[in-house]
Amino acid sequence: MSLGYAEKLSYIEDVGNVGMSEFFDSSHVLQEKIERLAEMIQKSKHLVVFTGAGISTSCGIPDFRGPKGIWTLQREGKPLPEASLPFHRAMPSMTHMALVELEKAGILKFIISQNVDGLHLRSGIPREKLAELHGNSFMEACPSCGVEYLRDFEVETIGLKETSRRCSDVKCGAKLKDTVLDWEDALPTKEMLPAEKHCRMADVVLCLGTSLQITPACNLPLKCLRGGGKIIIVNLQKTPKDKKASLVIHGFVDKVIAGVMNFLNLRIAPYVRIDLLQVIITQSLSLDERYVNWNLRVASVHALKAPLPFIKSIEVSFADAQKYKAAVLHDQPFNLKRRTAPAEAFEILLKLNFIDGCGCPSIQINVPVNFKVSSDCFNLDKDLTIRNLKEKAIQDLCCGQNALIERKVILEPKTEVANHAIVTNIKAFNSDSWSNGDVKHPRGVNGTRISRKRSFGRKRKSRF
């Protein structure tokens, strides 16, 4: 996986403590602590979760400070781990998806994350219940109107710099900026204010997979103590805040959370990833008006010049294979130019070949073309369509399902744009496989290798 985030950071000599030793509670002790944690969560009225890189290591994203962490390997002069998957194809872990279920059950009130991998949003946590203290590698924001844009590709810059895209609001149009902080950038007020508020309100702050070294972020959990709240820390390394915690658990985060979910009788739903693309057909009459010159383009819905990161190549063929010549598009932007008689109707067959990291190798989309018939614009219920796609993927336990979600027509130049949604990954979770079977099951709740994380142990500026 790409380790570009670490390379984009400004160089500093001291990155804090690295190569920290890992500790593991014995099986019996771990089981007792998991049950105690589950009971505390079950009784909580305002649970806040504070996350670090440790919840994403099982997604293939290495941390910075552990024995195989990025900074540890660099300090030892060892090569960094090879990328097994592109960063943008990382999928949420069991812990990410368990937090979604806790939020849906009304138990989890807020998440504060130091990670920039965007996996909390991808998992389904509502944006208003999430503070991303150090930004999101897949998020751009408009500095003028404040609109946020979640991308399917990694934004090319960090340090709150301008990107190559603009706000899509016709009344705005300002240049967008990345949201990821560099070393000297102050923590954003927009994220810090709700984080502080919820920590003060919390009766339990659960710290997952964080060494709690970087200030001022690491002091946020302490704000619950004044109101009688409790801190629980789940981490493989010891932290500077362990003495303030009511419970410290040394174990893999996924194993601990799986045990908690079993104790609470809460099922973890599969993760389904849906990617979007647009098929654009632009037409114009030839000078002698005998032919229609048309251009096919398969592009990102985020911007015409934005990358389409999950597509490796596109095989273009036609239902009438004898009349129209097939082609293979290897390079982005994916464009094909042809000419046909104005009265001809035909069907384009697009075989989309996916990159490694997608759950299926390819799918086919059929595109009917009739230049004599004007296409109507229509917008399907996008949320409903995507929800149906997810349900079908979970039912089939496979990916490749796709649906048209929008079609629009532009009069000059005459262009038809069709937006498609595609299920490109599905990941199921079995919390029982992480449990040793000793967890007791009371009634349910309410009576029934990529590197993008910021956990560096160095003080960051704050506006507070």
Side-chain angles (χ1 to χ4, degrees), residues 115-153:
N115 300 339
V116 299
D117 54 33
L119 291 178
H120 282 303
L121 282 179
R122 290 201 187 282
S123 69
I125 291 294
R127 181 66 178 98
E128 65 273 13
K129 294 189 177 182
L130 171 67
E132 294 181 306
L133 298 181
H134 302 136
N136 185 327
S137 290
F138 301 92
M139 183 83 77
E140 293 176 285
C142 178
S144 179
C145 67
V147 173
E148 295 179 331
Y149 297 86
L150 184 62
R151 307 303 193 185
D152 59 5
F153 56 89

mmCIF file of all heavy atoms in Angstrom, residues 115-153:
data_model
loop_
_atom_site.group_PDB
_atom_site.id
_atom_site.type_symbol
_atom_site.label_atom_id
_atom_site.label_comp_id
_atom_site.label_asym_id
_atom_site.label_seq_id
_atom_site.Cartn_x
_atom_site.Cartn_y
_atom_site.Cartn_z
ATOM 1 N N ASN A 115 -6.838 9.546 12.956
ATOM 2 C CA ASN A 115 -6.450 8.937 11.686
ATOM 3 C C ASN A 115 -6.881 9.805 10.502
ATOM 4 O O ASN A 115 -7.886 10.517 10.572
ATOM 5 C CB ASN A 115 -7.069 7.552 11.551
ATOM 6 C CG ASN A 115 -6.615 6.620 12.659
ATOM 7 O OD1 ASN A 115 -5.582 6.840 13.282
ATOM 8 N ND2 ASN A 115 -7.397 5.582 12.919
ATOM 9 N N VAL A 116 -6.145 9.674 9.416
ATOM 10 C CA VAL A 116 -6.491 10.413 8.190
ATOM 11 C C VAL A 116 -6.879 9.456 7.071
ATOM 12 O O VAL A 116 -6.946 9.851 5.910
ATOM 13 C CB VAL A 116 -5.322 11.320 7.737
ATOM 14 C CG1 VAL A 116 -4.996 12.361 8.792
ATOM 15 C CG2 VAL A 116 -4.077 10.505 7.380
ATOM 16 N N ASP A 117 -7.178 8.205 7.422
ATOM 17 C CA ASP A 117 -7.471 7.206 6.396
ATOM 18 C C ASP A 117 -8.916 7.229 5.907
ATOM 19 O O ASP A 117 -9.272 6.531 4.951
ATOM 20 C CB ASP A 117 -7.114 5.796 6.879
ATOM 21 C CG ASP A 117 -7.761 5.439 8.210
ATOM 22 O OD1 ASP A 117 -8.887 5.893 8.482
ATOM 23 O OD2 ASP A 117 -7.116 4.700 9.007
ATOM 24 N N GLY A 118 -9.774 8.008 6.554
ATOM 25 C CA GLY A 118 -11.156 8.157 6.101
ATOM 26 C C GLY A 118 -12.043 6.945 6.323
ATOM 27 O O GLY A 118 -13.181 6.909 5.851
ATOM 28 N N LEU A 119 -11.578 5.946 7.073
ATOM 29 C CA LEU A 119 -12.329 4.700 7.188
ATOM 30 C C LEU A 119 -13.561 4.812 8.080
ATOM 31 O O LEU A 119 -14.501 4.027 7.936
ATOM 32 C CB LEU A 119 -11.413 3.574 7.675
ATOM 33 C CG LEU A 119 -10.346 3.139 6.657
ATOM 34 C CD1 LEU A 119 -9.461 2.047 7.239
ATOM 35 C CD2 LEU A 119 -10.984 2.676 5.360
ATOM 36 N N HIS A 120 -13.575 5.770 9.000
ATOM 37 C CA HIS A 120 -14.792 5.948 9.797
ATOM 38 C C HIS A 120 -15.950 6.411 8.921
ATOM 39 O O HIS A 120 -17.078 5.918 9.029
ATOM 40 C CB HIS A 120 -14.560 6.953 10.923
ATOM 41 C CG HIS A 120 -13.817 6.404 12.093
ATOM 42 N ND1 HIS A 120 -14.239 5.299 12.799
ATOM 43 C CD2 HIS A 120 -12.652 6.814 12.695
ATOM 44 C CE1 HIS A 120 -13.386 5.042 13.775
ATOM 45 N NE2 HIS A 120 -12.419 5.937 13.738
ATOM 46 N N LEU A 121 -15.694 7.357 8.034
ATOM 47 C CA LEU A 121 -16.745 7.813 7.136
ATOM 48 C C LEU A 121 -17.145 6.712 6.161
ATOM 49 O O LEU A 121 -18.323 6.517 5.874
ATOM 50 C CB LEU A 121 -16.290 9.057 6.363
ATOM 51 C CG LEU A 121 -16.327 10.379 7.129
ATOM 52 C CD1 LEU A 121 -15.837 11.517 6.248
ATOM 53 C CD2 LEU A 121 -17.738 10.686 7.626
ATOM 54 N N ARG A 122 -16.167 5.984 5.631
ATOM 55 C CA ARG A 122 -16.481 4.901 4.699
ATOM 56 C C ARG A 122 -17.314 3.812 5.376
ATOM 57 O O ARG A 122 -18.155 3.165 4.742
ATOM 58 C CB ARG A 122 -15.204 4.281 4.136
ATOM 59 C CG ARG A 122 -14.447 5.188 3.186
ATOM 60 C CD ARG A 122 -13.529 4.401 2.277
ATOM 61 N NE ARG A 122 -12.686 5.272 1.481
ATOM 62 C CZ ARG A 122 -13.077 5.931 0.408
ATOM 63 N NH1 ARG A 122 -14.333 5.818 0.016
ATOM 64 N NH2 ARG A 122 -12.253 6.713 -0.256
ATOM 65 N N SER A 123 -17.085 3.607 6.667
ATOM 66 C CA SER A 123 -17.811 2.554 7.373
ATOM 67 C C SER A 123 -19.283 2.901 7.552
ATOM 68 O O SER A 123 -20.115 2.010 7.710
ATOM 69 C CB SER A 123 -17.172 2.305 8.742
ATOM 70 O OG SER A 123 -17.382 3.418 9.615
ATOM 71 N N GLY A 124 -19.600 4.188 7.549
ATOM 72 C CA GLY A 124 -20.992 4.603 7.698
ATOM 73 C C GLY A 124 -21.275 5.466 8.911
ATOM 74 O O GLY A 124 -22.438 5.760 9.209
ATOM 75 N N ILE A 125 -20.250 5.903 9.627
ATOM 76 C CA ILE A 125 -20.460 6.816 10.751
ATOM 77 C C ILE A 125 -20.923 8.159 10.209
ATOM 78 O O ILE A 125 -20.310 8.721 9.293
ATOM 79 C CB ILE A 125 -19.152 7.001 11.558
ATOM 80 C CG1 ILE A 125 -18.796 5.712 12.305
ATOM 81 C CG2 ILE A 125 -19.277 8.162 12.549
ATOM 82 C CD1 ILE A 125 -19.767 5.308 13.393
ATOM 83 N N PRO A 126 -22.012 8.725 10.725
ATOM 84 C CA PRO A 126 -22.478 10.029 10.251
ATOM 85 C C PRO A 126 -21.416 11.110 10.489
ATOM 86 O O PRO A 126 -20.759 11.116 11.529
ATOM 87 C CB PRO A 126 -23.735 10.300 11.091
ATOM 88 C CG PRO A 126 -24.170 8.947 11.583
ATOM 89 C CD PRO A 126 -22.922 8.148 11.747
ATOM 90 N N ARG A 127 -21.268 12.003 9.533
ATOM 91 C CA ARG A 127 -20.245 13.047 9.643
ATOM 92 C C ARG A 127 -20.446 13.902 10.886
ATOM 93 O O ARG A 127 -19.457 14.315 11.529
ATOM 94 C CB ARG A 127 -20.279 13.950 8.391
ATOM 95 C CG ARG A 127 -19.236 15.071 8.398
ATOM 96 C CD ARG A 127 -17.838 14.504 8.330
ATOM 97 N NE ARG A 127 -16.817 15.541 8.288
ATOM 98 C CZ ARG A 127 -16.135 15.976 9.337
ATOM 99 N NH1 ARG A 127 -16.387 15.462 10.536
ATOM 100 N NH2 ARG A 127 -15.213 16.915 9.209
ATOM 101 N N GLU A 128 -21.691 14.158 11.257
ATOM 102 C CA GLU A 128 -21.953 15.020 12.413
ATOM 103 C C GLU A 128 -21.595 14.336 13.735
ATOM 104 O O GLU A 128 -21.571 14.996 14.780
ATOM 105 C CB GLU A 128 -23.413 15.466 12.441
ATOM 106 C CG GLU A 128 -24.435 14.372 12.640
ATOM 107 C CD GLU A 128 -24.880 13.699 11.349
ATOM 108 O OE1 GLU A 128 -24.216 13.905 10.301
ATOM 109 O OE2 GLU A 128 -25.895 12.969 11.388
ATOM 110 N N LYS A 129 -21.311 13.042 13.707
ATOM 111 C CA LYS A 129 -20.915 12.325 14.915
ATOM 112 C C LYS A 129 -19.439 11.933 14.895
ATOM 113 O O LYS A 129 -19.026 11.021 15.612
ATOM 114 C CB LYS A 129 -21.791 11.086 15.103
ATOM 115 C CG LYS A 129 -23.259 11.442 15.375
ATOM 116 C CD LYS A 129 -24.065 10.224 15.761
ATOM 117 C CE LYS A 129 -25.507 10.630 16.105
ATOM 118 N NZ LYS A 129 -26.318 9.480 16.543
ATOM 119 N N LEU A 130 -18.666 12.657 14.079
ATOM 120 C CA LEU A 130 -17.253 12.326 13.917
ATOM 121 C C LEU A 130 -16.405 13.590 13.866
ATOM 122 O O LEU A 130 -16.725 14.533 13.138
ATOM 123 C CB LEU A 130 -17.056 11.537 12.615
ATOM 124 C CG LEU A 130 -15.613 11.273 12.166
ATOM 125 C CD1 LEU A 130 -14.910 10.334 13.151
ATOM 126 C CD2 LEU A 130 -15.605 10.681 10.761
ATOM 127 N N ALA A 131 -15.330 13.610 14.648
ATOM 128 C CA ALA A 131 -14.325 14.671 14.559
ATOM 129 C C ALA A 131 -13.038 14.035 14.046
ATOM 130 O O ALA A 131 -12.486 13.134 14.688
ATOM 131 C CB ALA A 131 -14.091 15.319 15.921
ATOM 132 N N GLU A 132 -12.578 14.469 12.883
ATOM 133 C CA GLU A 132 -11.313 13.996 12.322
ATOM 134 C C GLU A 132 -10.257 15.061 12.612
ATOM 135 O O GLU A 132 -10.090 16.009 11.841
ATOM 136 C CB GLU A 132 -11.455 13.721 10.825
ATOM 137 C CG GLU A 132 -12.404 12.573 10.529
ATOM 138 C CD GLU A 132 -12.547 12.262 9.049
ATOM 139 O OE1 GLU A 132 -12.864 13.189 8.279
ATOM 140 O OE2 GLU A 132 -12.355 11.100 8.663
ATOM 141 N N LEU A 133 -9.576 14.905 13.729
ATOM 142 C CA LEU A 133 -8.705 15.963 14.239
ATOM 143 C C LEU A 133 -7.588 16.329 13.280
ATOM 144 O O LEU A 133 -7.187 17.493 13.198
ATOM 145 C CB LEU A 133 -8.101 15.545 15.581
ATOM 146 C CG LEU A 133 -9.075 15.286 16.728
ATOM 147 C CD1 LEU A 133 -8.304 14.916 17.986
ATOM 148 C CD2 LEU A 133 -9.959 16.502 16.974
ATOM 149 N N HIS A 134 -7.061 15.352 12.561
ATOM 150 C CA HIS A 134 -5.911 15.599 11.703
ATOM 151 C C HIS A 134 -6.253 15.574 10.235
ATOM 152 O O HIS A 134 -5.364 15.602 9.378
ATOM 153 C CB HIS A 134 -4.802 14.590 12.018
ATOM 154 C CG HIS A 134 -4.374 14.631 13.444
ATOM 155 N ND1 HIS A 134 -4.167 13.497 14.200
ATOM 156 C CD2 HIS A 134 -4.145 15.683 14.275
ATOM 157 C CE1 HIS A 134 -3.814 13.850 15.430
ATOM 158 N NE2 HIS A 134 -3.805 15.161 15.499
ATOM 159 N N GLY A 135 -7.551 15.548 9.930
ATOM 160 C CA GLY A 135 -7.995 15.621 8.548
ATOM 161 C C GLY A 135 -8.311 14.265 7.955
ATOM 162 O O GLY A 135 -8.371 13.244 8.632
ATOM 163 N N ASN A 136 -8.523 14.282 6.642
ATOM 164 C CA ASN A 136 -8.919 13.085 5.909
ATOM 165 C C ASN A 136 -8.251 13.139 4.542
ATOM 166 O O ASN A 136 -8.433 14.092 3.788
ATOM 167 C CB ASN A 136 -10.451 13.065 5.762
ATOM 168 C CG ASN A 136 -10.977 11.800 5.124
ATOM 169 O OD1 ASN A 136 -10.341 11.195 4.267
ATOM 170 N ND2 ASN A 136 -12.169 11.400 5.519
ATOM 171 N N SER A 137 -7.464 12.134 4.231
ATOM 172 C CA SER A 137 -6.716 12.111 2.973
ATOM 173 C C SER A 137 -7.618 12.066 1.749
ATOM 174 O O SER A 137 -7.159 12.294 0.634
ATOM 175 C CB SER A 137 -5.772 10.906 2.940
ATOM 176 O OG SER A 137 -4.710 11.073 3.845
ATOM 177 N N PHE A 138 -8.893 11.777 1.946
ATOM 178 C CA PHE A 138 -9.828 11.672 0.831
ATOM 179 C C PHE A 138 -10.864 12.788 0.842
ATOM 180 O O PHE A 138 -11.868 12.699 0.139
ATOM 181 C CB PHE A 138 -10.521 10.306 0.868
ATOM 182 C CG PHE A 138 -9.551 9.156 0.783
ATOM 183 C CD1 PHE A 138 -9.033 8.583 1.932
ATOM 184 C CD2 PHE A 138 -9.121 8.675 -0.438
ATOM 185 C CE1 PHE A 138 -8.121 7.542 1.867
ATOM 186 C CE2 PHE A 138 -8.213 7.643 -0.523
ATOM 187 C CZ PHE A 138 -7.704 7.076 0.631
ATOM 188 N N MET A 139 -10.606 13.816 1.613
ATOM 189 C CA MET A 139 -11.561 14.901 1.750
ATOM 190 C C MET A 139 -10.972 16.224 1.268
ATOM 191 O O MET A 139 -9.831 16.557 1.577
ATOM 192 C CB MET A 139 -11.975 15.052 3.221
ATOM 193 C CG MET A 139 -13.030 16.122 3.472
ATOM 194 S SD MET A 139 -14.691 15.510 3.156
ATOM 195 C CE MET A 139 -14.968 14.539 4.659
ATOM 196 N N GLU A 140 -11.766 16.949 0.477
ATOM 197 C CA GLU A 140 -11.465 18.335 0.134
ATOM 198 C C GLU A 140 -12.554 19.209 0.730
ATOM 199 O O GLU A 140 -13.689 18.763 0.907
ATOM 200 C CB GLU A 140 -11.426 18.531 -1.382
ATOM 201 C CG GLU A 140 -10.292 17.815 -2.074
ATOM 202 C CD GLU A 140 -10.357 17.970 -3.581
ATOM 203 O OE1 GLU A 140 -11.199 17.313 -4.207
ATOM 204 O OE2 GLU A 140 -9.559 18.753 -4.128
ATOM 205 N N ALA A 141 -12.217 20.450 1.036
ATOM 206 C CA ALA A 141 -13.195 21.358 1.623
ATOM 207 C C ALA A 141 -13.106 22.712 0.945
ATOM 208 O O ALA A 141 -12.033 23.139 0.506
ATOM 209 C CB ALA A 141 -12.966 21.501 3.123
ATOM 210 N N CYS A 142 -14.246 23.363 0.860
ATOM 211 C CA CYS A 142 -14.288 24.705 0.287
ATOM 212 C C CYS A 142 -14.046 25.720 1.400
ATOM 213 O O CYS A 142 -14.816 25.768 2.368
ATOM 214 C CB CYS A 142 -15.633 24.968 -0.378
ATOM 215 S SG CYS A 142 -15.775 26.642 -1.067
ATOM 216 N N PRO A 143 -13.001 26.529 1.296
ATOM 217 C CA PRO A 143 -12.734 27.513 2.347
ATOM 218 C C PRO A 143 -13.726 28.655 2.360
ATOM 219 O O PRO A 143 -13.809 29.392 3.334
ATOM 220 C CB PRO A 143 -11.324 28.020 1.993
ATOM 221 C CG PRO A 143 -11.213 27.820 0.519
ATOM 222 C CD PRO A 143 -12.000 26.586 0.211
ATOM 223 N N SER A 144 -14.516 28.779 1.295
ATOM 224 C CA SER A 144 -15.473 29.880 1.196
ATOM 225 C C SER A 144 -16.832 29.522 1.789
ATOM 226 O O SER A 144 -17.323 30.191 2.691
ATOM 227 C CB SER A 144 -15.637 30.307 -0.267
ATOM 228 O OG SER A 144 -16.577 31.356 -0.383
ATOM 229 N N CYS A 145 -17.438 28.436 1.296
ATOM 230 C CA CYS A 145 -18.787 28.075 1.761
ATOM 231 C C CYS A 145 -18.792 26.903 2.727
ATOM 232 O O CYS A 145 -19.829 26.577 3.309
ATOM 233 C CB CYS A 145 -19.704 27.782 0.571
ATOM 234 S SG CYS A 145 -19.262 26.304 -0.364
ATOM 235 N N GLY A 146 -17.641 26.232 2.903
ATOM 236 C CA GLY A 146 -17.527 25.175 3.897
ATOM 237 C C GLY A 146 -17.969 23.796 3.459
ATOM 238 O O GLY A 146 -17.909 22.852 4.243
ATOM 239 N N VAL A 147 -18.399 23.631 2.213
ATOM 240 C CA VAL A 147 -18.845 22.322 1.738
ATOM 241 C C VAL A 147 -17.668 21.348 1.692
ATOM 242 O O VAL A 147 -16.558 21.721 1.306
ATOM 243 C CB VAL A 147 -19.487 22.435 0.340
ATOM 244 C CG1 VAL A 147 -19.808 21.065 -0.234
ATOM 245 C CG2 VAL A 147 -20.757 23.264 0.417
ATOM 246 N N GLU A 148 -17.912 20.104 2.104
ATOM 247 C CA GLU A 148 -16.885 19.067 2.085
ATOM 248 C C GLU A 148 -17.161 18.088 0.944
ATOM 249 O O GLU A 148 -18.309 17.784 0.644
ATOM 250 C CB GLU A 148 -16.852 18.316 3.416
ATOM 251 C CG GLU A 148 -16.428 19.180 4.597
ATOM 252 C CD GLU A 148 -16.426 18.423 5.903
ATOM 253 O OE1 GLU A 148 -17.225 17.474 6.030
ATOM 254 O OE2 GLU A 148 -15.628 18.778 6.791
ATOM 255 N N TYR A 149 -16.083 17.586 0.346
ATOM 256 C CA TYR A 149 -16.193 16.647 -0.771
ATOM 257 C C TYR A 149 -15.376 15.400 -0.441
ATOM 258 O O TYR A 149 -14.149 15.466 -0.354
ATOM 259 C CB TYR A 149 -15.669 17.274 -2.065
ATOM 260 C CG TYR A 149 -16.452 18.479 -2.535
ATOM 261 C CD1 TYR A 149 -16.165 19.756 -2.053
ATOM 262 C CD2 TYR A 149 -17.492 18.344 -3.449
ATOM 263 C CE1 TYR A 149 -16.888 20.860 -2.479
ATOM 264 C CE2 TYR A 149 -18.225 19.446 -3.874
ATOM 265 C CZ TYR A 149 -17.916 20.698 -3.388
ATOM 266 O OH TYR A 149 -18.631 21.788 -3.812
ATOM 267 N N LEU A 150 -16.061 14.261 -0.253
ATOM 268 C CA LEU A 150 -15.368 13.002 0.009
ATOM 269 C C LEU A 150 -15.070 12.335 -1.324
ATOM 270 O O LEU A 150 -15.975 12.060 -2.111
ATOM 271 C CB LEU A 150 -16.228 12.089 0.882
ATOM 272 C CG LEU A 150 -15.588 10.775 1.314
ATOM 273 C CD1 LEU A 150 -14.354 11.020 2.178
ATOM 274 C CD2 LEU A 150 -16.598 9.904 2.062
ATOM 275 N N ARG A 151 -13.790 12.063 -1.586
ATOM 276 C CA ARG A 151 -13.347 11.534 -2.872
ATOM 277 C C ARG A 151 -13.069 10.038 -2.790
ATOM 278 O O ARG A 151 -12.863 9.490 -1.710
ATOM 279 C CB ARG A 151 -12.072 12.254 -3.334
ATOM 280 C CG ARG A 151 -12.172 13.764 -3.369
ATOM 281 C CD ARG A 151 -13.295 14.255 -4.229
ATOM 282 N NE ARG A 151 -13.204 15.695 -4.512
ATOM 283 C CZ ARG A 151 -14.120 16.382 -5.168
ATOM 284 N NH1 ARG A 151 -15.213 15.765 -5.612
ATOM 285 N NH2 ARG A 151 -13.968 17.682 -5.399
ATOM 286 N N ASP A 152 -13.025 9.386 -3.960
ATOM 287 C CA ASP A 152 -12.609 7.985 -4.012
ATOM 288 C C ASP A 152 -11.131 7.864 -4.344
ATOM 289 O O ASP A 152 -10.615 6.759 -4.502
ATOM 290 C CB ASP A 152 -13.451 7.201 -5.026
ATOM 291 C CG ASP A 152 -13.370 7.754 -6.439
ATOM 292 O OD1 ASP A 152 -12.576 8.695 -6.675
ATOM 293 O OD2 ASP A 152 -14.097 7.243 -7.317
ATOM 294 N N PHE A 153 -10.440 8.978 -4.446
ATOM 295 C CA PHE A 153 -8.998 8.995 -4.674
ATOM 296 C C PHE A 153 -8.330 9.820 -3.578
ATOM 297 O O PHE A 153 -8.965 10.665 -2.944
ATOM 298 C CB PHE A 153 -8.657 9.594 -6.049
ATOM 299 C CG PHE A 153 -9.223 10.982 -6.269
ATOM 300 C CD1 PHE A 153 -8.520 12.116 -5.902
ATOM 301 C CD2 PHE A 153 -10.481 11.149 -6.842
ATOM 302 C CE1 PHE A 153 -9.037 13.386 -6.089
ATOM 303 C CE2 PHE A 153 -11.015 12.420 -7.039
ATOM 304 C CZ PHE A 153 -10.296 13.537 -6.669
#
